[in-house]
Amino acid sequence: MCGIIGYIGQKKATPILIQGLRHLEYRGYDSAGLAVREDGKIKCVKEVGRIDNLANKLKQSDLEGTIGIAHTRWATHGGVTQKNTHPHFSCDKKIHLVHNGIIENYKEIKNSLPGHKFVSETDSEVLAHLIEKEYKNNGNLRIAVEKALSQVRGTYGIAVIAEDEPQKIITARLGSPIVIGIGENEYFIASDTTPILPYTKKIVFLDDGEIAEITKDNIQIFNIKDEEIKKPIEKIQWDNKSTGKQGFAHYMLKEIYDQPSVFEDAIRGRIKLEEGTAILGGINMDNYQMRHIDRVIFIACGTAFHAGLVGKYIFEKLVNIPTEANIASEYRYSNPTIGENTLVFAVSQSGETIDTLAAIREAKQKGAFVRGIINVVGSTIARETDGGTYIHAGPELAVASTKAYTNMIAVMILYALQFGRLRKLTVIQGQEIIKALQNIPAQMETILKQSDKIKNISEKYKNFKNFFFLGRGLNYPVALEGSLKLKEITYIHSEAYPGGEMKHGPISLISENFPIISPITKNDLYEKMKSNLEEAKARKSPILAIATEADESIKDLADDIIYVPQTLNILEPLLNTIPLQLFAYHMAVTLGRDVDKPRNLAKSVTVE
Ligand code: M6R
């Protein structure tokens, strides 16, 4: 969703801010703007649409200033207009700010500021005016920001500059991330590390309630009680290379192709072949505690939830513990029953999804062990869980999640090995799984080599308006994920069902205009799934099957087939999902969609 980048130092701020905004594009946005201090005044430029529009507009005003703030806006309060675009400013235009999050009591605040001139429909603008009022009272920008924030209900990550305190940026957070990058006589402020990493790997993460006062040579951080505190400087490992497209047409395609190598990163150093187990130290539990866990819950949204569903099957099979996967936005309001031996895994690529965060806070409050399966290092969920594991997928910038999904499953399998070996899983069974896991990267490569073939298939299917994705057992979450990928980037209607459920209603939709895409690999449910496809075939539905290599009999049923290598049943989602990612990708390209930034979607969903 919205993104923030700020700079204070000796270099020209504008190119750094524009570059930073480009790095934030992946989060989703519909307008962008910046404010730079120049000749004693703050100059503000905004534009709706792409960053390029803003960059073109800036060509007419060569801003030389070395302090500035910028923002990508994803509209919530008020339409996509220039006036609603950040930065927002006070009546006298001496204070400018950018804001992520939601000010819930903005109407009350607005009413409490008679005489102020509001120009936008946003909740954020009231903050600029509230700070203006407080600044007039005490003449200290940081104190004014603190006083203003203390009157706010809601969430915020903000960066503020003021004409009368020229060499300073004030930044603060509550429920919406702010990270500060430390360079040589320069600082970067952002809503995540992505726009900062090209300049520095040294990062300070603000926690909720903290506020920082930053000059080009110094940073001071204060807690909620206004006491100055020292925060650790963390070193982020992601290299700049992993944030580029590397010659691929889109981030999504690059990230699909990243899967074999990042999968290796996810399992490297974490498996013990001899003992048939995995060691994930981040679980922060001793063997006794692990043996006594009697319920596991995966909590997540979207693609991460689909990975959680895979995790449920795997845990029940290998660990024999009752396991659930829950959608976070429902779980948070469900008044869940949590026992003292319940283990909750928060699964999230961004580590910032507000629903997942709220759900784990609820689980924690009720006494669960809460651990994270997270990609973004230092993210809010990673910091709020009492341990867990990074999935090491590297930066995922396309809105459609791909490599994070496979790496989430990789980590779930490792956890299942670790817990399973403390229970009934034998060393031989553990070793068999590890050996199969080690084959996965090469098997993924063989699927990626079929990209051109999948592209041709997508040409054939591009004019259909509706799709069903059908799968059984572990291929059901695969079907859900394939369907989500297709709808989010092509805007084509699709639904996913367990194959056996079709007869209970959805089959009435089937016709020659309603294709079925089905992962139907050689596992225990193969014959059952085949019968379900026969029913569809009898009603003339075109069928695209994801089948196991050398499966000849599927040819009698399917119009098109994408073959995947054979693996253990529990590992099938790691392979079977990839052709569906590629299918959605090629369909979207063929239809001329904006693959990496599909309409209405944001990469990191930080509002409810
Ligand atoms: O960052 P998270 O993994 O918590 O995000 C969860 C979902 O918002 C995300 O997976 C979303 O469904 C993706 N756009 C799917 O491709």
Side-chain angles (χ1 to χ4, degrees), residues 300-305 347-354 356 381 396 398-402 404 408 481 484-485 488 601-605:
C301 302
T303 288
F305 166 67
V347 190
S348 175
Q349 187 288 127
S350 62
E352 302 295 348
T353 304
I354 198 80
T356 309
I381 299 178
E396 191 186 66
V399 164
S401 185
T402 52
M408 285 166 184
E481 179 56 10
L484 177 64
K485 286 289 90 82
E488 70 178 332
L601 288 174
K603 181 65 180 165
S604 154
V605 183

Tab-separated table of all heavy atoms in Angstrom, residues 300-305 347-354 356 381 396 398-402 404 408 481 484-485 488 601-605, ligand 1:
chain	number	residue	atom	x	y	z
A	300	ALA	N	-2.854	-16.656	8.308
A	300	ALA	CA	-2.286	-15.920	7.169
A	300	ALA	C	-3.395	-15.378	6.283
A	300	ALA	O	-4.574	-15.639	6.521
A	300	ALA	CB	-1.401	-16.866	6.362
A	301	CYS	N	-3.004	-14.658	5.252
A	301	CYS	CA	-3.947	-14.142	4.256
A	301	CYS	C	-3.470	-14.523	2.850
A	301	CYS	O	-2.261	-14.674	2.628
A	301	CYS	CB	-4.000	-12.617	4.293
A	301	CYS	SG	-4.471	-11.947	5.873
A	302	GLY	N	-4.408	-14.604	1.934
A	302	GLY	CA	-4.094	-14.758	0.512
A	302	GLY	C	-3.215	-15.966	0.232
A	302	GLY	O	-3.467	-17.087	0.705
A	303	THR	N	-2.160	-15.718	-0.534
A	303	THR	CA	-1.249	-16.797	-0.904
A	303	THR	C	-0.617	-17.451	0.323
A	303	THR	O	-0.426	-18.672	0.357
A	303	THR	CB	-0.163	-16.213	-1.837
A	303	THR	OG1	-0.783	-15.947	-3.096
A	303	THR	CG2	0.985	-17.155	-2.051
A	304	ALA	N	-0.314	-16.638	1.327
A	304	ALA	CA	0.301	-17.210	2.536
A	304	ALA	C	-0.688	-18.155	3.224
A	304	ALA	O	-0.288	-19.177	3.805
A	304	ALA	CB	0.712	-16.082	3.481
A	305	PHE	N	-1.990	-17.851	3.124
A	305	PHE	CA	-2.999	-18.758	3.673
A	305	PHE	C	-2.991	-20.077	2.888
A	305	PHE	O	-3.106	-21.158	3.467
A	305	PHE	CB	-4.381	-18.087	3.637
A	305	PHE	CG	-5.511	-19.038	3.867
A	305	PHE	CD1	-5.678	-19.654	5.112
A	305	PHE	CD2	-6.412	-19.357	2.855
A	305	PHE	CE1	-6.715	-20.563	5.327
A	305	PHE	CE2	-7.445	-20.255	3.063
A	305	PHE	CZ	-7.597	-20.860	4.299
A	347	VAL	N	2.073	-16.632	9.135
A	347	VAL	CA	2.759	-16.828	7.851
A	347	VAL	C	2.566	-15.567	7.008
A	347	VAL	O	1.437	-15.165	6.744
A	347	VAL	CB	2.183	-18.052	7.102
A	347	VAL	CG1	3.060	-18.400	5.900
A	347	VAL	CG2	2.048	-19.255	8.023
A	348	SER	N	3.663	-14.951	6.615
A	348	SER	CA	3.528	-13.695	5.864
A	348	SER	C	4.805	-13.369	5.098
A	348	SER	O	5.894	-13.461	5.654
A	348	SER	CB	3.212	-12.557	6.842
A	348	SER	OG	3.182	-11.320	6.172
A	349	GLN	N	4.633	-13.011	3.841
A	349	GLN	CA	5.790	-12.557	3.056
A	349	GLN	C	6.283	-11.232	3.594
A	349	GLN	O	7.431	-11.084	3.982
A	349	GLN	CB	5.377	-12.447	1.581
A	349	GLN	CG	6.504	-12.156	0.596
A	349	GLN	CD	7.078	-10.755	0.642
A	349	GLN	OE1	8.302	-10.588	0.763
A	349	GLN	NE2	6.244	-9.743	0.597
A	350	SER	N	5.376	-10.251	3.638
A	350	SER	CA	5.783	-8.881	4.002
A	350	SER	C	6.077	-8.743	5.483
A	350	SER	O	6.865	-7.901	5.897
A	350	SER	CB	4.668	-7.901	3.642
A	350	SER	OG	3.496	-8.215	4.381
A	351	GLY	N	5.381	-9.551	6.285
A	351	GLY	CA	5.484	-9.379	7.741
A	351	GLY	C	4.773	-8.128	8.218
A	351	GLY	O	4.948	-7.704	9.360
A	352	GLU	N	3.959	-7.517	7.358
A	352	GLU	CA	3.276	-6.276	7.722
A	352	GLU	C	1.765	-6.375	7.585
A	352	GLU	O	1.074	-5.382	7.841
A	352	GLU	CB	3.761	-5.105	6.837
A	352	GLU	CG	5.239	-4.827	6.875
A	352	GLU	CD	5.729	-4.356	8.246
A	352	GLU	OE1	4.888	-4.024	9.104
A	352	GLU	OE2	6.958	-4.352	8.463
A	353	THR	N	1.242	-7.504	7.144
A	353	THR	CA	-0.199	-7.607	6.893
A	353	THR	C	-0.976	-7.378	8.184
A	353	THR	O	-0.825	-8.125	9.151
A	353	THR	CB	-0.511	-8.988	6.278
A	353	THR	OG1	0.284	-9.115	5.108
A	353	THR	CG2	-1.970	-9.140	5.931
A	354	ILE	N	-1.804	-6.353	8.171
A	354	ILE	CA	-2.425	-5.897	9.422
A	354	ILE	C	-3.352	-6.961	10.015
A	354	ILE	O	-3.410	-7.139	11.235
A	354	ILE	CB	-3.147	-4.541	9.206
A	354	ILE	CG1	-3.412	-3.845	10.530
A	354	ILE	CG2	-4.419	-4.684	8.442
A	354	ILE	CD1	-2.256	-3.140	11.103
A	356	THR	N	-3.079	-10.232	9.783
A	356	THR	CA	-2.268	-11.302	10.377
A	356	THR	C	-1.686	-10.827	11.705
A	356	THR	O	-1.663	-11.565	12.694
A	356	THR	CB	-1.149	-11.722	9.387
A	356	THR	OG1	-1.755	-11.990	8.131
A	356	THR	CG2	-0.407	-12.956	9.866
A	381	ILE	N	5.706	-8.242	12.004
A	381	ILE	CA	5.295	-9.557	12.525
A	381	ILE	C	6.522	-10.333	13.000
A	381	ILE	O	6.497	-10.991	14.046
A	381	ILE	CB	4.487	-10.353	11.473
A	381	ILE	CG1	3.216	-9.575	11.098
A	381	ILE	CG2	4.126	-11.741	12.004
A	381	ILE	CD1	2.352	-10.212	10.035
A	396	GLU	N	10.580	-9.867	-2.724
A	396	GLU	CA	9.528	-10.236	-3.677
A	396	GLU	C	8.778	-8.957	-3.999
A	396	GLU	O	8.109	-8.400	-3.136
A	396	GLU	CB	8.599	-11.290	-3.066
A	396	GLU	CG	7.659	-11.886	-4.105
A	396	GLU	CD	6.636	-12.826	-3.489
A	396	GLU	OE1	5.777	-12.346	-2.722
A	396	GLU	OE2	6.688	-14.025	-3.781
A	398	ALA	N	6.920	-8.256	-7.155
A	398	ALA	CA	5.656	-8.344	-7.902
A	398	ALA	C	4.528	-8.489	-6.895
A	398	ALA	O	4.682	-9.162	-5.876
A	398	ALA	CB	5.677	-9.551	-8.833
A	399	VAL	N	3.406	-7.857	-7.184
A	399	VAL	CA	2.267	-7.961	-6.259
A	399	VAL	C	1.840	-9.421	-6.102
A	399	VAL	O	1.524	-9.881	-5.006
A	399	VAL	CB	1.096	-7.078	-6.755
A	399	VAL	CG1	-0.193	-7.450	-6.062
A	399	VAL	CG2	1.416	-5.610	-6.487
A	400	ALA	N	1.845	-10.164	-7.196
A	400	ALA	CA	1.458	-11.579	-7.116
A	400	ALA	C	2.593	-12.376	-6.478
A	400	ALA	O	3.706	-12.416	-6.985
A	400	ALA	CB	1.162	-12.104	-8.512
A	401	SER	N	2.283	-13.007	-5.390
A	401	SER	CA	3.310	-13.732	-4.641
A	401	SER	C	3.587	-15.091	-5.296
A	401	SER	O	2.660	-15.824	-5.634
A	401	SER	CB	2.796	-13.935	-3.213
A	401	SER	OG	3.779	-14.516	-2.428
A	402	THR	N	4.851	-15.405	-5.476
A	402	THR	CA	5.200	-16.695	-6.097
A	402	THR	C	6.269	-17.416	-5.276
A	402	THR	O	6.011	-18.414	-4.627
A	402	THR	CB	5.704	-16.491	-7.546
A	402	THR	OG1	6.756	-15.502	-7.542
A	402	THR	CG2	4.593	-16.054	-8.468
A	404	ALA	N	7.688	-16.596	-2.547
A	404	ALA	CA	7.463	-16.616	-1.094
A	404	ALA	C	6.616	-17.832	-0.730
A	404	ALA	O	6.842	-18.483	0.291
A	404	ALA	CB	6.794	-15.333	-0.642
A	408	MET	N	7.643	-20.613	1.845
A	408	MET	CA	6.855	-20.813	3.081
A	408	MET	C	6.621	-22.307	3.270
A	408	MET	O	6.775	-22.847	4.376
A	408	MET	CB	5.492	-20.109	2.961
A	408	MET	CG	5.559	-18.608	3.108
A	408	MET	SD	3.991	-17.861	2.554
A	408	MET	CE	4.389	-16.133	2.732
A	481	GLU	N	-4.470	-21.651	-5.108
A	481	GLU	CA	-3.399	-20.710	-5.415
A	481	GLU	C	-3.361	-20.388	-6.914
A	481	GLU	O	-3.173	-19.234	-7.309
A	481	GLU	CB	-2.054	-21.283	-4.918
A	481	GLU	CG	-0.830	-20.433	-5.183
A	481	GLU	CD	-0.912	-18.999	-4.634
A	481	GLU	OE1	-1.829	-18.667	-3.887
A	481	GLU	OE2	-0.038	-18.199	-5.015
A	484	LEU	N	-6.180	-17.975	-7.582
A	484	LEU	CA	-5.889	-16.621	-7.086
A	484	LEU	C	-4.914	-15.906	-8.030
A	484	LEU	O	-5.097	-14.733	-8.375
A	484	LEU	CB	-5.310	-16.686	-5.667
A	484	LEU	CG	-4.900	-15.346	-5.052
A	484	LEU	CD1	-6.099	-14.428	-4.862
A	484	LEU	CD2	-4.199	-15.535	-3.714
A	485	LYS	N	-3.868	-16.644	-8.465
A	485	LYS	CA	-2.886	-16.018	-9.371
A	485	LYS	C	-3.586	-15.533	-10.628
A	485	LYS	O	-3.370	-14.429	-11.083
A	485	LYS	CB	-1.779	-17.015	-9.772
A	485	LYS	CG	-0.745	-17.344	-8.740
A	485	LYS	CD	0.230	-16.236	-8.422
A	485	LYS	CE	-0.258	-15.374	-7.317
A	485	LYS	NZ	-0.063	-15.807	-5.967
A	488	GLU	N	-5.963	-12.463	-9.940
A	488	GLU	CA	-5.392	-11.178	-9.534
A	488	GLU	C	-4.601	-10.476	-10.633
A	488	GLU	O	-4.583	-9.253	-10.677
A	488	GLU	CB	-4.596	-11.272	-8.222
A	488	GLU	CG	-3.294	-12.010	-8.242
A	488	GLU	CD	-2.594	-11.969	-6.869
A	488	GLU	OE1	-2.793	-11.013	-6.105
A	488	GLU	OE2	-1.830	-12.896	-6.592
A	601	LEU	N	-4.727	-3.600	-6.404
A	601	LEU	CA	-4.020	-4.432	-5.423
A	601	LEU	C	-2.788	-3.730	-4.876
A	601	LEU	O	-2.174	-2.907	-5.546
A	601	LEU	CB	-3.574	-5.752	-6.061
A	601	LEU	CG	-4.699	-6.734	-6.359
A	601	LEU	CD1	-4.163	-7.923	-7.122
A	601	LEU	CD2	-5.349	-7.192	-5.063
A	602	ALA	N	-2.432	-4.099	-3.653
A	602	ALA	CA	-1.214	-3.589	-3.039
A	602	ALA	C	-0.393	-4.786	-2.580
A	602	ALA	O	-0.939	-5.834	-2.253
A	602	ALA	CB	-1.552	-2.716	-1.855
A	603	LYS	N	0.909	-4.620	-2.565
A	603	LYS	CA	1.776	-5.729	-2.173
A	603	LYS	C	1.631	-6.023	-0.698
A	603	LYS	O	1.629	-7.169	-0.274
A	603	LYS	CB	3.229	-5.375	-2.508
A	603	LYS	CG	4.239	-6.465	-2.166
A	603	LYS	CD	4.017	-7.697	-3.003
A	603	LYS	CE	5.001	-8.812	-2.690
A	603	LYS	NZ	4.525	-10.101	-3.251
A	604	SER	N	1.571	-4.970	0.067
A	604	SER	CA	1.567	-5.188	1.499
A	604	SER	C	0.311	-4.522	2.044
A	604	SER	O	0.115	-3.321	1.885
A	604	SER	CB	2.879	-4.586	2.007
A	604	SER	OG	2.803	-4.207	3.295
A	605	VAL	N	-0.575	-5.320	2.620
A	605	VAL	CA	-1.907	-4.815	2.955
A	605	VAL	C	-1.923	-4.380	4.420
A	605	VAL	O	-2.129	-5.177	5.327
A	605	VAL	CB	-2.996	-5.860	2.647
A	605	VAL	CG1	-4.383	-5.291	2.936
A	605	VAL	CG2	-2.915	-6.277	1.187
B	1	M6R	O1	2.647	-10.252	2.913
B	1	M6R	P1	1.680	-11.351	3.156
B	1	M6R	O2	2.216	-12.699	2.797
B	1	M6R	O3	1.134	-11.339	4.573
B	1	M6R	O4	0.464	-11.041	2.203
B	1	M6R	C1	-0.706	-11.803	2.225
B	1	M6R	C2	-1.551	-11.536	0.999
B	1	M6R	O5	-1.932	-10.180	0.959
B	1	M6R	C3	-0.820	-11.890	-0.304
B	1	M6R	O6	-0.405	-13.209	-0.314
B	1	M6R	C4	-1.727	-11.633	-1.523
B	1	M6R	O7	-2.796	-12.533	-1.513
B	1	M6R	C5	-0.916	-11.750	-2.814
B	1	M6R	N1	-1.204	-10.649	-3.674
B	1	M6R	C6	-1.179	-12.998	-3.568
B	1	M6R	O8	-0.451	-13.066	-4.748
